[in-house]
Amino acid sequence: MAIKRVGILGAGKVGIVLAGLALNAGYEVRISGSGAQKKIDLTIETLVPGAIAGINKDVVENSDVVILAIPLSRYKNIDPSLLKGKLVIDAMNYWWETDGIREEVLNPDETSSEQVQDYFKDATIAKTFNHMGYHNLQDEARPKDHPRRKALFVTGNDKAAVETIAEFVETMGFDQVVHYKLSDGIMTEPGSPLFGASLTHEELKNIIDNFADTDFGKQVLASGMTFN
């Protein structure tokens, strides 16, 4: 599927940065946020001129891919039927300062993205854009073959969807390390070796491969346990 229109749910720091990258890459961008619509309109007009501000329904209906860039604790505020049939990028992380007590937000027996997929059961979820800080996302996007280009981890259960998202990440200015198992997204959650890291493709792949070869890594990946 060719992506031409990008929808972003969340007008916080990550959402704004991703909107800017998508605009620079030539996509039509729509973005929604919480709070008064006039305030959201002003924020979008000021920080990402060219993006179209709207409510969730309009953003989703007019997008080929939808990025979830809201606090993780709020994803269930979205009606799951809204994303039915949609290709969705989960760019969210649990963060205690924003989300509160982890056990009140997440089941400890599944990764966050698996729980997001369970909730949006009629959407196709892929995980990316979540392990690199928003400042790095904004400042370190580079053209293909640039010697200092950084990489993002992309994973999901649907191979075709993951490859579509990987191509999208490519156009946004980053190389990709690709897996085809949504639960592998645990390697990018807070507390993992990758969280907050800004790495080249080789560096990122080496960390993932080394982690997967450790006893702890094998236990984490086999069980779906979460990092503390």
Side-chain angles (χ1 to χ4, degrees):
M1 182 187 75
I3 295 175
K4 296 181 179 179
R5 306 172 300 164
V6 177
I8 301 172
L9 304 186
K13 293 171 181 176
V14 173
I16 292 295
V17 167
L18 293 176
L21 292 176
L23 285 170
N24 290 341
Y27 294 103
E28 179 181 292
V29 179
R30 285 177 168 79
I31 183 168
S32 64
S34 59
Q37 190 61 46
K38 286 185 178 180
K39 183 177 179 181
I40 299 300
D41 292 346
L42 180 60
T43 299
I44 302 309
E45 181 181 350
T46 303
L47 298 180
V48 277
I52 302 167
I55 62 173
N56 286 356
K57 184 175 184 293
D58 291 337
V59 169
V60 171
E61 288 181 351
N62 292 285
S63 298
D64 302 314
V65 64
V66 177
I67 303 174
L68 295 176
I70 58 178
L72 182 63
S73 56
R74 299 180 191 170
Y75 76 88
K76 287 187 177 179
N77 292 346
I78 301 171
D79 183 341
S81 66
L82 183 65
L83 297 182
K84 182 177 181 178
K86 285 292 182 176
L87 179 58
V88 178
I89 294 174
D90 175 11
M92 302 180 292
N93 292 301
Y94 166 77
W95 196 247
W96 69 270
E97 291 181 342
T98 302
D99 297 315
I101 299 172
R102 186 184 185 104
E103 289 75 14
E104 294 179 357
V105 180
L106 293 171
N107 176 346
D109 298 325
E110 280 190 312
T111 65
S112 62
S113 287
E114 288 177 289
Q115 293 174 62
V116 171
Q117 177 68 87
D118 290 343
Y119 181 72
F120 297 110
K121 61 184 179 61
D122 295 319
T124 302
I125 304 290
K127 185 80 167 178
T128 192
F129 293 124
N130 67 301
H131 67 81
M132 189 183 291
Y134 68 91
H135 282 304
N136 294 116
L137 286 170
Q138 184 173 43
D139 296 339
E140 300 195 44
R142 297 283 188 273
K144 187 175 177 61
D145 297 325
H146 190 284
R148 290 185 291 136
R149 200 182 204 217
K150 300 302 173 67
L152 290 168
F153 186 62
V154 183
T155 194
N157 292 333
D158 186 299
K159 188 173 187 288
V162 170
E163 291 177 353
T164 296
I165 296 302
E167 291 175 6
F168 174 65
V169 170
E170 171 73 34
T171 66
M172 295 279 272
F174 299 93
D175 290 335
Q176 318 91 50
V177 174
V178 176
H179 281 204
Y180 299 105
K181 188 177 180 182
L182 189 59
S183 60
D184 285 0
I186 192 173
M187 292 189 288
T188 65
E189 291 187 2
S192 74
L194 291 183
F195 186 72
S198 179
L199 304 169
T200 65
H201 181 274
E202 183 177 0
E203 292 168 337
L204 182 63
K205 189 174 187 307
N206 285 341
I207 286 182
I208 290 171
D209 291 346
N210 290 337
F211 176 78
D213 285 339
T214 65
D215 289 340
F216 178 62
K218 291 175 183 176
Q219 181 185 9
V220 167
L221 294 173
S223 68
M225 63 184 286
T226 57
F227 290 96
N228 295 321

